[in-house]
Amino acid sequence: MLVSYNWLKDYLDVTVDPADLAETITRTGIEIETLEHPQEGLKKIVVGHVLSLKNHEDSDHLRVAQVDVGEEEPYQIVCGAPNIAEDQYVIVALPNSRIAGNEKIKKGKLRGVVSQGMICGLQEIGFSDSVVPEEVKDGIYVFEDAIAPGTEVYEALGMDDYILDFDITPNRADTLSMEGAAYEVGAILSQNPNLKIPEVSEDSQSFDSQVKVSLDLDESAVSNYRLRYLTDVNIAKSPLWMQTRLMNAGTRPVNNVVDALQYAMIEMGQPLAAFDADKIEGDLQVRFAKSGETIQLKDQDPIELGTEDIVIADNQKILALGGVVTSTAAEVDEKTTSLVLQSAIYDGALVRKSAQRHGVRTDSSARFEKGINWDNTQKAIDYLAQLIAENGQAKVLAGTKVIRDTQKSPVVIDITTARINHVLGTELSTADIIAIFERLQFGVVAEGDTLSVSVPARRFDISIDADLVEEVARLYGYDNLPTVLPVVEQTIGGYDRQQQALNKARDLLVGFGLDETINYSLTTHDKAISFVKEAKDVIALDWPMTKEHEVLRQNLVSGLLDSAVYNAARKQTDLRLFEQGRVFSQENGQNQEVDHIAGLYAGQNRPNNWQNDVKNFDFYEVKGQVEAFLKAMGFTKATSYVAEPIKGMHPTRTAAIYYGDQYVGFVGQIDPRELPKTKLKEVYAFELDMETLLSIDVEPTVSKEAPKYPAIKRDLSLLVDEAITNSQITSVIDENGGKHLRDVQVFDVYSGDKLEVGKQSIAYQLTFQDFAQTLKDDSVNKAIEAITQALTSELNISVR
Amino acid sequence: MSVFDHIQTLKDQGLTQIKEANDLDTLNNIRVNLTGKKGELTKVLRSMKDLSNEERPKVGQVVNEVRDLFATEIDNKKEQLQQAELEAQMQKEAIDVTLPGKESYLGSHHLINIVRQDIEEFCVSLGYQVITGPEVESDHYNFEMMNIPKNHPARDMQDTFYVDATHEHLMRSQTSPVQARTLEKHDFSKSPLKMISPGKVYRRDDDDATHSHQFNQLEGLVIDENITMAHLKGTLQAIAQHVFGEDREIRLRPSYFPFTEPSVEVDVTCFACGGKGCSTCKSTGWIEVLGAGMVHPNVLENAGVDSQKYGGFAFGLGLDRFAILKYGVSDIRDFYLNDVRFLEQFRQEAK
Ligand SMILES: [Zn+2]
């Protein structure tokens, strides 16, 4: 809402500097988004009187004007505007003046003819295209009345004003009017605003049977409805003072009826309507639209209405969409002579839905949505009638036709001084608090420290004591509140076990040299169900904004891959990325979300160095990171890696990871077909279901002494069929190694020329240790013997 | 020449030889010559049978003294020579210590998580529990419980992603539903509630330099019998000073949120200019950093908490915004594109 500083002076004795006032309002009530002073930056712009006009000899559209600008001699100014004429009073930018956009105007020549300045349109001195009256939009501005030549134009055009842009939060719609703003500023300045009381001089003829009204809606839909009737209207332009106030409020002046509707609404907050009485056929009906009915708005295709749209209609057509907009069917035009004025209050939710449904948001609909002062309907229609009567020499028929006038029961809230101090942490006295309510023009009856506060209808945002506490707090001043930390019974802060574990997991991967990323949870359908063992039902947006973000991810790797591809496109191809985040799915119609962690590796396994011992990441290096990660997280029970297909992963270089017999994730190479158009070649990734891992009970750590007795190590070199896997061999070794076998490590794998085709050699180092005594060679030999026999008999392996 | 003179001569010669020995082999030969089974001192002892009974013990004693002296001197010399040999060895092992080391990869935490954990840990030190909740929420917890019924104008302020046709479930547009869930469960007869809820939130925004359809919030809630707005000010000042620097001030401005009353916007002294006024703060000296207020009685009552007895404050801040403000990040999309050159510059930041 654009609030004029000069207009505020109609109600209040405002002497404070506009910038200071803006700051105070911001700190006390409503943020002032901007403060504009329209004449700022303009220089030497005055009224000129066009004395004579002749054609430019070298141009078919330029004309040469002699203009009285208050100097002894008239100025010669060349002008190209089509609407220039003799005897006009116009805006002149003198030589060495400044117009909008800090543009300097100099004396110069136009096609050989001297021009001492420029005759201006409103846009050229800073008015926005959206507020300039249509008839002067494409030419120079012409004053209606004579103004002494040489006078600066700023006052006449309202440019000496200051415009405060109230950034109104949804609860403070009471300030969506000059009256509301006056109350607010009055409370801040401790002044009672002097509001205008309409003075309608009514004609002897009364308003009775000219219009019949049928109101078919209940009080919840239409709580107030009243009409006035005017005759002998003279449609013309509004006086300049009204036009400039409207323009400063962001509204384009049209004529004395349309402008009065706008002006009265801006002043009193009540949306109003006017219909050309001669265009109304039959009775006025206020009802819901019937399906199939349409409304015709200016320069638009007809809009089809629904059965929840409130309409004003006559026997033939729709005149208005209630609370939103008036149709062209009975609109006021130059020939209009009789008017039906309407002041009504509609249900905010219905208006909001109508406006939304049809994409027609207006100043009127915004006010109904946010709230209306029920006390102003009669006053506003009186004021409207007065303005039209004054500006259009109209007759106001006696009386208002009040079709409905629902009264709101007054809001009275009891509150105590103690309660206010209790919430704010202040020590205000009852008198302090009463003084604040009086500044707000609220009624207060005090009994001891209990206050009964009557809230005027214009403050429809206030209904409970917390609302009153806010009024006290903001007017007392937030700066005046003490600043202390809460004193409460000691509470124990901290993270829960899962958060602690996830924080640790993230720290570990950073320690391993990975960069933490955050990717989007919303992704494409394909990416959402990639990199999973089995895709589940996806959670999809009801109304996605883009295909890129339409369903929720079931994996983290696809996001990491997006980030990797983004980096590769920027020549960053050595990557170690991870993310800890949620994945989402639906099971039996229930939404599920669980925490995962995933990593991605591409390129070199360490930074370049001059010793040149750098390799590219491979499966085993990445698997080693997963193993170390699981170990460090305390997931030390049997983990198995099983070659299994995972969607999007390399078919023979991927392992599903099982913790016990529970599937917890995978590690492997990303299927190269998932990497189109990127410089990345071999990309490895892992993803772990942290929710499942953390749900498995981990035994508490109990300290054990470091072993006192030495361990014995033995090497076993095996000649093995290539089809046999390490995990088959180690499980045979584990089963047959006896109770002192502590560890089995692969230390060499060889296949090649020296072996027969289809064979490979694997060398293991076995560690035996007895924690109770020194282990004898003899018992180790027995264990090795048992292992060797089992390997031979079960897997046909020869020990070399 | 008496036997004693002979021993003296042996002693002097022996010590000189030891002193002049240049390597361990020579020293070993000297040891054998002087103190070995066939060495000079042994010869003296063997010749003792020619001496008188009175002289014999004296000669024995003197020979033993000299033998001990030789042993000590030889050991010392040996130690010296070994040290010299090692020293020479290490001289040969010289390397160019100015050549670069073999670096390991250094990982980095994501800036948003650095900012998040910093605030979390500060709040934990003040006795707050960190509580997380679902990102796919019900309309009930995200809106209804937070005093935002259907058709409430505030629903326009945060256009929402719904995940079903009936609009019962949605991507949470704020982390407040976690507070609603906690309020329902908390036993106020046992202890006050002090919590923060961090996490991702989602809104229908087109992604550009200042908007993201996914971002991160951290909200705080303190409820007890005697919590005041002064406590809110104190708490926010402490957090602002922890995050942005000790000499920062805060100020409150009236605002509106459906779940608090009174509601305030909180500004902190501009960190670019220290409050003097600059382009960052649009010459106001202040930068808006978060929203806060006293919890609306409806929010408490919706969760079954007696709003006459209990009350308190809530605050909510955007972690992306905090990171942008504190580190001068110019484009919010940088947080989600994960260019490693962007990510890695925050490696040195303490959490
Ligand atoms: Zn600044």
Side-chain angles (χ1 to χ4, degrees):
Chain A
M1 164 97 185
L2 299 174
V3 173
S4 148
Y5 179 81
N6 286 345
W7 197 339
L8 276 177
K9 287 180 175 170
D10 286 4
Y11 320 105
L12 296 162
D13 180 22
V14 190
T15 50
V16 55
D17 174 76
D20 293 342
L21 179 65
E23 172 72 6
T24 316
I25 297 171
T26 291
R27 303 295 313 284
T28 320
I30 288 148
E31 185 175 353
I32 303 302
E33 187 129 48
T34 55
L35 171 66
E36 307 263 3
H37 185 36
Q39 75 174 66
E40 193 165 273
L42 304 183
K43 209 174 82 182
K44 295 180 82 170
I45 297 175
V46 301
V47 176
H49 184 206
V50 182
L51 301 176
S52 68
L53 208 55
K54 63 175 193 200
N55 289 333
H56 190 295
E57 285 175 4
D58 287 337
S59 166
D60 51 8
H61 74 278
L62 291 178
R63 272 168 315 156
V64 183
Q66 299 299 321
V67 184
D68 177 2
V69 294
E71 308 281 321
E72 280 182 20
E73 294 293 320
Y75 278 32
Q76 171 172 296
I77 303 176
V78 179
C79 179
N83 62 331
I84 190 167
E86 282 182 6
D87 200 28
Q88 282 176 338
Y89 289 85
V90 296
I91 302 167
V92 176
L94 297 173
N96 299 318
S97 62
R98 272 183 202 280
I99 61 170
N102 206 21
E103 199 183 320
K104 204 167 174 182
I105 300 299
K106 286 183 190 151
K107 181 175 169 179
K109 278 186 179 175
L110 273 168
R111 302 218 180 157
V113 178
V114 171
S115 181
Q116 295 169 281
M118 180 171 112
I119 302 178
C120 300
L122 288 177
Q123 293 97 319
E124 283 159 324
I125 58 169
F127 284 87
S128 152
D129 238 357
S130 64
V131 301
V132 171
E134 288 290 346
E135 67 273 12
V136 290
K137 222 172 139 184
D138 301 317
I140 56 167
Y141 180 75
V142 182
F143 291 98
E144 286 282 285
D145 302 313
I147 299 175
T151 314
E152 289 194 322
V153 298
Y154 314 124
E155 195 185 331
L157 293 174
M159 302 181 81
D160 59 336
D161 204 349
Y162 292 85
I163 312 300
L164 297 89
D165 187 357
F166 279 44
D167 185 13
I168 297 170
T169 51
N171 62 324
R172 289 306 308 276
D174 61 291
T175 55
L176 266 173
S177 66
M178 288 307 298
E179 284 191 354
Y183 276 113
E184 180 65 23
V185 175
I188 291 169
L189 301 177
S190 297
Q191 286 183 30
N192 293 356
N194 249 321
L195 300 187
K196 271 170 231 170
I197 298 157
E199 291 163 10
V200 202
S201 36
E202 294 183 337
D203 196 67
S204 53
Q205 188 191 353
S206 58
F207 175 27
D208 39 55
S209 62
Q210 291 87 342
V211 182
K212 279 203 190 122
V213 181
S214 67
L215 173 52
D216 298 337
L217 297 169
D218 63 15
E219 291 183 354
S220 66
V222 180
S223 55
N224 265 277
Y225 196 86
R226 60 192 75 209
L227 303 174
R228 269 188 175 278
Y229 200 94
L230 274 64
T231 61
D232 302 290
V233 182
N234 220 329
I235 302 293
K237 279 188 198 169
S238 300
L240 186 55
W241 65 265
M242 183 181 273
Q243 291 192 40
T244 59
R245 277 194 171 178
L246 287 175
M247 287 195 285
N248 280 344
T251 299
R252 190 200 306 280
V254 178
N255 61 40
N256 51 6
V257 174
V258 174
D259 293 354
L261 286 165
Q262 293 291 333
Y263 192 90
M265 175 177 75
I266 291 168
E267 174 144 5
M268 301 191 172
Q270 169 67 47
L272 300 157
F275 304 108
D276 184 331
D278 298 328
K279 294 179 183 168
I280 298 174
E281 300 165 271
D283 299 344
L284 267 190
Q285 306 163 9
V286 184
R287 55 171 170 83
F288 282 128
K290 295 163 194 157
S291 61
E293 282 188 314
T294 60
I295 184 170
Q296 180 64 53
L297 303 184
K298 202 174 182 182
D299 306 328
Q300 279 189 30
D301 291 333
I303 294 173
E304 189 154 332
L305 299 172
T307 54
E308 284 178 15
D309 291 319
I310 299 173
V311 293
I312 321 301
D314 64 14
N315 291 350
Q316 301 297 324
K317 55 198 182 288
I318 304 294
L319 308 184
L321 182 56
V324 182
V325 70
T326 313
S327 80
T328 55
E331 73 178 345
V332 176
D333 58 35
E334 308 92 78
K335 296 182 198 124
T336 300
T337 54
S338 297
L339 288 174
V340 176
L341 306 183
Q342 170 197 290
S343 176
I345 296 181
Y346 307 100
D347 176 62
L350 286 171
V351 171
R352 174 184 140 101
K353 280 186 198 149
S354 280
Q356 259 179 356
R357 222 173 4 243
H358 305 302
V360 190
R361 278 263 162 99
T362 59
D363 289 343
S364 165
S365 72
R367 283 176 168 82
F368 284 116
E369 282 174 34
K370 291 170 182 164
I372 290 281
N373 178 5
W374 282 34
D375 285 352
N376 256 8
T377 47
Q378 182 64 48
K379 183 173 147 188
I381 202 169
D382 288 347
Y383 189 51
L384 175 64
Q386 175 193 337
L387 290 174
I388 298 173
E390 282 169 7
N391 299 337
Q393 292 91 45
K395 280 186 196 158
V396 182
L397 300 197
T400 304
K401 200 180 277 276
V402 179
I403 311 296
R404 183 167 290 160
D405 188 17
T406 315
Q407 297 296 316
K408 243 187 196 173
S409 45
V411 173
V412 178
I413 304 166
D414 288 344
I415 194 165
T416 62
T417 303
R419 175 73 183 168
I420 291 170
N421 285 325
H422 179 85
V423 175
L424 297 181
T426 46
E427 289 171 5
L428 297 171
S429 70
T430 304
D432 293 337
I433 291 166
I434 290 173
I436 288 172
F437 288 136
E438 283 173 349
R439 280 162 67 187
L440 290 159
Q441 313 281 312
F442 292 0
V444 190
V445 178
E447 209 180 298
D449 93 328
T450 301
L451 308 175
S452 278
V453 182
S454 325
V455 181
R458 63 182 165 82
R459 287 304 304 272
F460 41 82
D461 59 310
I462 293 177
S463 56
I464 56 172
D465 67 358
D467 299 328
L468 291 180
V469 171
E470 178 165 58
E471 295 301 298
V472 172
R474 66 187 187 90
L475 285 164
Y476 175 61
Y478 287 117
D479 286 349
N480 298 323
L481 297 185
T483 303
V484 289
L485 282 172
V487 182
V488 297
E489 192 186 313
Q490 184 65 54
T491 53
I492 296 165
Y495 294 97
D496 64 24
R497 179 175 163 257
Q498 174 146 339
Q499 293 163 10
Q500 279 177 28
L502 293 175
N503 283 343
K504 180 182 174 186
R506 294 170 39 247
D507 287 348
L508 270 173
L509 292 184
V510 168
F512 288 177
L514 277 70
D515 292 330
E516 186 178 23
T517 65
I518 301 179
N519 295 285
Y520 293 124
S521 306
L522 287 163
T523 182
T524 65
H525 197 278
D526 282 351
K527 286 176 184 171
I529 55 167
S530 217
F531 306 111
V532 291
K533 189 160 166 252
E534 282 164 37
K536 297 174 182 158
D537 290 344
V538 292
I539 302 179
L541 294 187
D542 180 41
W543 182 36
M545 298 175 74
T546 64
K547 285 265 171 221
E548 274 64 51
H549 308 296
E550 62 178 350
V551 298
L552 280 163
R553 60 183 181 185
Q554 293 187 1
N555 73 93
L556 301 180
V557 168
S558 60
L560 290 174
L561 187 55
D562 283 346
S563 288
V565 170
Y566 180 85
N567 275 288
R570 282 150 190 80
K571 299 203 165 64
Q572 305 293 310
T573 49
D574 295 323
L575 300 166
R576 302 142 320 279
L577 307 175
F578 83 96
E579 180 175 13
Q580 194 285 302
R582 301 253 177 92
V583 300
F584 308 82
S585 62
Q586 255 187 357
E587 272 169 88
N588 307 320
Q590 292 293 306
N591 296 325
Q592 309 278 343
E593 58 187 277
V594 293
D595 274 301
H596 274 201
I597 200 161
L600 177 145
Y601 302 77
Q604 294 179 183
N605 70 339
R606 64 184 304 155
N608 279 328
N609 60 65
W610 52 271
Q611 293 179 316
N612 298 319
D613 61 346
V614 170
K615 295 191 310 171
N616 280 337
F617 278 111
D618 62 21
F619 176 86
Y620 296 107
E621 182 138 13
V622 174
K623 183 180 173 186
Q625 294 232 321
V626 174
E627 289 168 326
F629 173 79
L630 291 172
K631 205 179 282 179
M633 288 299 293
F635 305 126
T636 50
K637 281 191 183 156
T639 310
S640 49
Y641 294 80
V642 182
E644 266 182 34
I646 302 287
K647 219 179 148 215
M649 297 298 286
H650 191 298
T652 61
R653 287 187 175 182
T654 299
I657 306 171
Y658 288 84
Y659 193 65
D661 54 6
Q662 201 136 26
Y663 172 76
V664 293
F666 64 86
V667 56
Q669 186 182 344
I670 291 178
D671 189 330
R673 288 166 295 188
E674 297 284 326
L675 313 167
K677 288 185 208 156
T678 171
K679 295 193 182 77
L680 299 171
K681 299 242 162 49
E682 285 185 24
V683 182
Y684 293 88
F686 72 84
E687 177 148 353
L688 293 168
D689 174 351
M690 293 302 286
E691 203 94 6
T692 302
L693 281 167
L694 291 168
S695 70
I696 301 165
D697 279 334
V698 176
E699 278 171 32
T701 310
V702 178
S703 168
K704 283 179 238 135
E705 273 183 79
K708 283 184 197 149
Y709 303 99
I712 296 179
K713 292 184 192 262
R714 289 289 170 84
D715 294 350
L716 270 186
S717 182
L718 309 178
L719 190 63
V720 183
D721 243 28
E722 268 179 354
I724 293 174
T725 66
N726 167 62
S727 87
Q728 287 173 291
I729 297 169
T730 48
S731 67
V732 170
I733 295 176
D734 281 340
E735 278 163 31
N736 296 280
K739 62 180 178 176
H740 299 312
L741 177 62
R742 303 295 171 194
D743 189 34
V744 180
Q745 292 285 340
V746 180
F747 69 89
D748 190 46
V749 177
Y750 174 80
S751 59
D753 301 347
K754 291 171 191 159
L755 298 177
E756 63 179 282
V757 176
K759 295 275 183 186
Q760 63 175 339
S761 116
I762 309 182
Y764 291 88
Q765 182 167 73
L766 279 52
T767 305
F768 295 87
Q769 191 164 35
D770 184 345
F771 295 135
Q773 57 188 319
T774 302
L775 195 57
K776 299 228 167 61
D777 268 349
D778 210 24
S779 61
V780 174
N781 291 342
K782 277 183 191 157
I784 294 289
E785 182 62 24
I787 291 167
T788 309
Q789 279 182 11
L791 287 172
T792 311
S793 64
E794 289 175 35
L795 298 172
N796 194 24
I797 286 172
S798 55
V799 178
R800 308 205 299 169
Chain B
M1 194 164 65
S2 80
V3 65
F4 293 107
D5 291 342
H6 178 58
I7 294 169
Q8 183 63 43
T9 308
L10 280 179
K11 179 181 164 188
D12 293 346
Q13 287 173 348
L15 287 176
T16 307
Q17 285 170 9
I18 293 167
K19 194 178 168 196
E20 288 172 356
N22 278 330
D23 57 68
L24 288 167
D25 283 349
T26 313
L27 187 66
N28 196 40
N29 289 338
I30 292 168
R31 183 181 61 78
V32 172
N33 284 340
L34 293 178
T35 63
K37 281 179 184 154
K38 291 174 183 170
E40 293 299 325
L41 286 176
T42 316
K43 283 180 195 164
V44 172
L45 287 179
R46 288 209 181 115
S47 68
M48 281 207 305
K49 59 185 186 296
D50 302 331
L51 297 177
S52 67
N53 285 342
E54 287 150 26
E55 276 180 320
R56 226 176 274 156
K58 284 186 188 165
V59 171
Q61 191 190 341
V62 173
V63 167
N64 281 335
E65 281 171 15
V66 173
R67 189 199 300 275
D68 288 348
L69 179 64
F70 282 165
T72 309
E73 286 301 305
I74 287 169
D75 279 351
N76 287 347
K77 186 67 186 184
K78 191 177 170 188
E79 174 71 23
Q80 262 179 38
L81 289 174
Q82 279 173 338
Q83 285 300 326
E85 214 165 86
L86 271 175
E87 197 66 39
Q89 171 73 23
M90 289 190 289
Q91 284 306 319
K92 282 186 229 155
E93 292 169 357
I95 57 167
D96 180 355
V97 297
T98 67
L99 279 168
K102 239 161 62 178
E103 253 190 284
S104 300
Y105 281 134
L106 289 169
S108 54
H109 282 97
H110 195 284
L111 182 59
I112 285 181
N113 285 333
I114 293 172
V115 172
R116 172 174 66 81
Q117 227 170 327
D118 177 43
I119 300 172
E120 281 174 3
E121 281 164 13
F122 181 70
C123 290
V124 165
S125 78
L126 293 174
Y128 288 71
Q129 271 287 333
V130 183
I131 301 179
T132 55
E135 293 172 25
V136 177
E137 255 297 357
S138 63
D139 184 275
H140 174 74
Y141 281 107
N142 193 74
F143 288 128
E144 306 274 338
M145 289 286 282
M146 298 315 293
N147 198 32
I148 313 174
K150 298 222 159 58
N151 291 325
H152 192 287
R155 289 206 180 193
D156 284 352
M157 292 159 72
Q158 38 187 10
D159 246 348
T160 310
F161 289 119
Y162 285 93
V163 296
D164 51 19
T166 53
H167 289 197
E168 281 165 57
H169 293 92
L170 44 78
M171 302 304 297
R172 67 176 178 196
S173 60
Q174 46 191 3
T175 54
S176 331
V178 187
Q179 306 184 349
R181 288 171 176 275
T182 310
L183 276 173
E184 273 185 339
K185 278 183 281 184
H186 189 81
D187 183 352
F188 285 93
S189 67
K190 297 229 168 80
S191 68
L193 174 62
K194 286 167 79 174
M195 66 171 286
I196 52 171
S197 49
K200 292 195 182 96
V201 299
Y202 306 83
R203 290 187 196 172
R204 296 187 67 85
D205 264 326
D206 286 315
D207 295 338
D208 61 25
T210 53
H211 297 86
S212 178
H213 74 275
Q214 167 183 312
F215 57 103
N216 297 268
Q217 270 193 345
L218 185 148
E219 293 186 57
L221 178 71
V222 175
I223 303 288
D224 196 15
E225 291 182 29
N226 297 301
I227 301 296
T228 72
M229 203 151 182
H231 297 144
L232 170 62
K233 263 182 97 178
T235 300
L236 294 178
Q237 174 127 316
I239 292 173
Q241 290 179 345
H242 173 78
V243 176
F244 296 115
E246 268 177 28
D247 44 0
R248 299 290 170 239
E249 296 287 324
I250 59 158
R251 68 171 197 183
L252 310 185
R253 280 184 290 109
S255 188
Y256 170 73
F257 308 107
F259 30 84
T260 48
E261 185 78 27
S263 301
V264 288
E265 299 276 3
V266 182
D267 297 339
V268 64
T269 327
C270 176
F271 6 92
C273 65
K276 288 192 287 276
C278 68
S279 60
T280 306
C281 57
K282 292 177 195 145
S283 0
T284 61
W286 297 93
I287 291 189
E288 183 182 322
V289 291
L290 56 87
M294 302 306 289
V295 177
H296 196 290
N298 291 358
V299 171
L300 295 172
E301 297 291 341
N302 286 347
V305 180
D306 179 356
S307 68
Q308 282 304 307
K309 186 167 182 195
Y310 298 101
F313 62 77
F315 58 87
L317 55 90
L319 292 167
D320 303 56
R321 178 165 170 78
F322 263 49
I324 284 168
L325 289 173
K326 185 170 176 184
Y327 295 92
V329 177
S330 56
D331 192 325
I332 193 171
R333 287 169 294 196
D334 287 344
F335 293 132
Y336 305 101
L337 291 170
N338 302 306
D339 188 315
V340 292
R341 293 162 299 181
F342 174 79
L343 297 175
E344 289 174 356
Q345 59 186 324
F346 307 107
R347 232 166 1 210
Q348 75 279 8
E349 288 304 315
K351 281 190 293 184

